[in-house]
């Protein structure tokens, strides 16, 4: 989905022919796409024990992949590496970033350090305990839930938080699914819409052709050298991580924030991980994140792609975390959860600015 719909060099028409995308990130960076976790896409295991059950296992698998990648392609060993992910990748990205940082600092690690430069997360679910508490207010303020419905959602949120605190992960996951991640769920019941990716529309958009069907064609699989394996929909991987749904990676994030370039962004009209949910999470850090107070006090910049543009691209808070690293938070205007689809030029420029240290100008 990310490759064909959001950031890759090619999109896919309904008739399963490809076209060149105008705002591919490959125009300013080398892109490496990973089918993650195991049993997603072409990644596979022959044993149930190979299916990831938590973020430690996800990170271990991804780290093993990177070790193999740099052995196979040593010409990239000095290229700055940025880990980027969205949505549930709000867990994957911190998990693998922290793993690489830890292994880079491990003097007994036989593998050479990886050229890790930064991490970017879009609309990321990273700390459910703080983020889940924002759904009722988000639904009410978007005009989706009336006061009584918002009160019902708050009861669900309270019960989810209780089960997180008591580590009843199966029930916490079930209640979270009942709240916003069904169907059926309270969001869909109250909004009449299946689309919690963008509150502006009440249907599921067509994002292009059926890329699973395209990738499973014999000629495409042969070109990709995947042997006898077929592209999987990820349902097995998702089921393996059901008990992980309400767990947090927040303890990993201060170390990342303190030592690397970091980009955190949200689409303005996203509901499933809306901007206020990310704000809630960031506000409840503390001095363990050295830039926390600076973030709280940082004035925002109203960002336009060009000074003459009438269209506002987004709202930016950016500061130097250290003498060599930056922290950037952006709310992307006129975008939902799939912000690279909604605003491809803006998101492409955002990532280019982040990767190369370019300013976000008013």
């Amino acid at each position: 989905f990310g490759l064909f719909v959001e950031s890759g060099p090619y999109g896919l028409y309904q008739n399963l022919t490809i076209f060149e995308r105008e705002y591919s990130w490959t125009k300013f960076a080398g892109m490496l796409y990973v089918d993650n976790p195991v049993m997603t896409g072409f990644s596979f295991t022959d044993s149930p024990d190979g299916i990831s059950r938590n973020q430690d296992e996800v990170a271990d698998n991804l780290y093993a992949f990177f070790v193999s990648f740099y052995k196979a392609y040593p010409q990239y060993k000095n290229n700055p590496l940025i880990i980027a992910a969205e949505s549930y990748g709000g867990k994957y990205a911190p998990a693998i970033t922290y793993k690489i940082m830890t292994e880079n600092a491990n003097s007994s690690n036989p593998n050479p350090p990886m050229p890790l430069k930064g991490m970017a997360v879009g609309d990321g679910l990273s700390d459910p305990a703080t983020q889940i508490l924002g759904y009722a207010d988000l639904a009410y303020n978007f005009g989706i839930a009336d006061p009584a419905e918002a009160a019902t959602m708050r009861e669900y949120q309270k019960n989810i938080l209780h089960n997180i605190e008591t580590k009843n992960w199966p029930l916490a996951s079930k209640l979270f699914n009942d709240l916003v991640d069904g169907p059926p769920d309270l969001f869909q019941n109250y909004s009449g819409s299946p689309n919690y990716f963008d509150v502006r529309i009440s249907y599921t958009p067509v994002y292009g052709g059926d890329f699973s069907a395209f990738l499973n064609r014999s000629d495409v699989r042969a070109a990709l050298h995947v042997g006898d394996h077929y592209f999987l929909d990820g349902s097995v991987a998702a089921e393996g991580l059901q008990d992980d749904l309400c767990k947090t990676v927040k303890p990993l994030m201060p170390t990342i924030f303190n030592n690397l370039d970091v980009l955190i962004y949200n689409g303005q009209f996203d509901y499933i991980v809306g901007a206020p949910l990310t704000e809630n999470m960031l506000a409840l850090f503390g001095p363990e994140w050295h830039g926390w107070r600076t973030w709280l006090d940082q004035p925002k910049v109203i960002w336009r792609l060009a000074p003459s543009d009438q269209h506002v691209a987004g709202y930016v808070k950016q500061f130097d975390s250290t003498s060599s690293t930056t922290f950037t938070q952006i709310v992307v205007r006129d975008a939902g959860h799939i912000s690279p689809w909604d605003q491809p030029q803006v998101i492409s420029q955002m990532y280019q600015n982040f990767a190369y240290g370019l300013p976000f100008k008013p």
Side-chain angles (χ1 to χ4, degrees):
F1 187 89
L3 172 66
F4 286 117
V5 174
E6 298 183 305
S7 60
Y10 300 109
L12 193 64
Y13 288 125
Q14 295 273 42
N15 65 0
L16 303 191
T17 60
I18 60 174
F19 63 91
E20 189 171 350
R21 298 181 67 253
E22 183 177 1
Y23 296 109
S24 171
W25 305 356
T26 56
K27 294 181 178 180
F28 60 84
M31 298 293 294
L32 179 61
Y33 295 90
V34 184
D35 289 339
N36 166 75
V38 174
M39 297 300 286
T40 299
F42 286 115
S43 68
F44 68 94
T45 176
D46 294 326
S47 168
D49 294 336
I51 297 172
S52 296
R53 307 291 177 180
N54 55 59
Q55 293 305 314
D56 288 340
E57 294 176 2
V58 170
D60 287 346
N61 287 333
L62 280 170
Y63 184 77
F65 165 81
F66 274 113
V67 169
S68 296
F69 173 79
Y70 282 115
K71 286 180 179 178
Y73 301 99
Q75 64 268 35
Y76 297 117
K77 65 181 180 181
N78 294 321
N79 284 34
L81 173 64
I82 294 174
I83 304 295
E86 68 178 2
S87 196
Y88 209 75
K91 294 186 182 184
Y92 303 146
I96 182 55
T97 300
Y98 187 84
K99 174 71 173 179
I100 293 173
M101 293 179 70
T102 302
E103 294 297 339
N104 279 355
N106 181 4
S107 59
S108 62
N109 184 358
N111 302 300
M114 296 176 189
L116 186 63
K117 181 180 189 293
M119 180 189 78
V121 173
D123 302 290
L125 182 69
S126 301
D127 184 46
T130 55
Q131 293 177 287
I132 281 172
L133 298 181
Y135 281 116
D137 289 340
L138 196 58
Y140 179 77
N141 291 326
F142 271 134
I144 291 170
D146 65 22
E149 291 167 339
T152 299
M153 296 183 82
R154 290 190 185 96
E155 284 300 310
Y156 269 81
Q157 291 169 186
K158 184 170 72 174
N159 288 337
I160 295 168
L161 184 60
H162 170 73
N163 282 284
I164 289 174
E165 291 171 343
T166 58
K167 301 186 187 307
N168 188 344
W169 303 118
L171 185 53
S173 295
K174 178 188 181 303
L175 290 169
F176 182 72
N177 288 325
D178 291 345
L179 179 66
V180 295
D181 197 23
D185 55 55
L186 292 187
F187 170 81
Q188 296 197 17
N189 291 345
Y190 295 160
S191 69
S193 168
N195 189 355
Y196 43 51
F197 290 165
D198 193 328
V199 298
R200 297 171 296 179
I201 56 177
S202 56
Y203 58 89
T204 301
V206 176
Y207 293 107
D210 185 341
F211 52 83
S212 293
F214 174 78
L215 290 168
N216 278 327
R217 278 178 16 188
S218 297
D219 58 330
V220 176
R221 290 190 299 109
L224 294 176
H225 306 288
V226 296
D228 293 332
H229 296 285
Y230 286 83
F231 192 85
L232 306 171
D233 65 4
S235 57
V236 173
E239 180 61 30
L241 286 169
Q242 267 303 297
D243 286 355
D244 181 74
L245 184 59
C246 290
K247 295 179 182 178
T248 183
V249 293
K250 186 179 176 184
L252 311 181
M253 297 173 82
T255 299
I256 298 169
F257 289 4
N258 292 338
N259 292 281
L260 298 174
D261 290 338
V262 173
L263 169 65
I264 304 291
Y265 66 95
N266 292 83
Q268 180 187 19
F269 293 106
D270 182 23
Y271 183 82
I272 190 65
V273 191
L277 278 60
T278 297
E279 298 278 0
N280 290 351
M281 176 185 70
L282 294 175
L284 291 173
F285 275 86
E288 71 275 9
W289 171 22
H290 300 160
W292 176 65
R293 177 57 59 184
T294 304
W295 174 80
L296 289 173
D297 298 335
Q298 189 73 15
K300 77 178 185 186
V301 171
I302 298 176
W303 172 45
R304 291 176 169 86
L305 295 185
S308 60
D309 283 357
Q310 289 185 323
H311 178 79
V312 174
Y315 306 114
V316 181
K317 293 174 73 171
Q318 184 179 59
F319 59 90
D320 293 333
S321 298
T322 68
S323 60
S324 59
T325 64
T326 61
F327 184 89
T328 307
Q329 182 201 1
I330 300 178
V331 176
V332 182
R333 271 188 63 91
D334 298 328
H337 193 67
I338 316 298
S339 51
W341 166 266
D342 297 322
Q343 295 293 334
Q345 183 181 12
V346 169
I347 297 298
S348 178
Q349 189 63 56
M350 177 191 72
Y351 264 104
Q352 187 171 2
N353 286 5
F354 173 65
Y356 291 91
L358 303 176
F360 292 87
K361 296 181 179 180

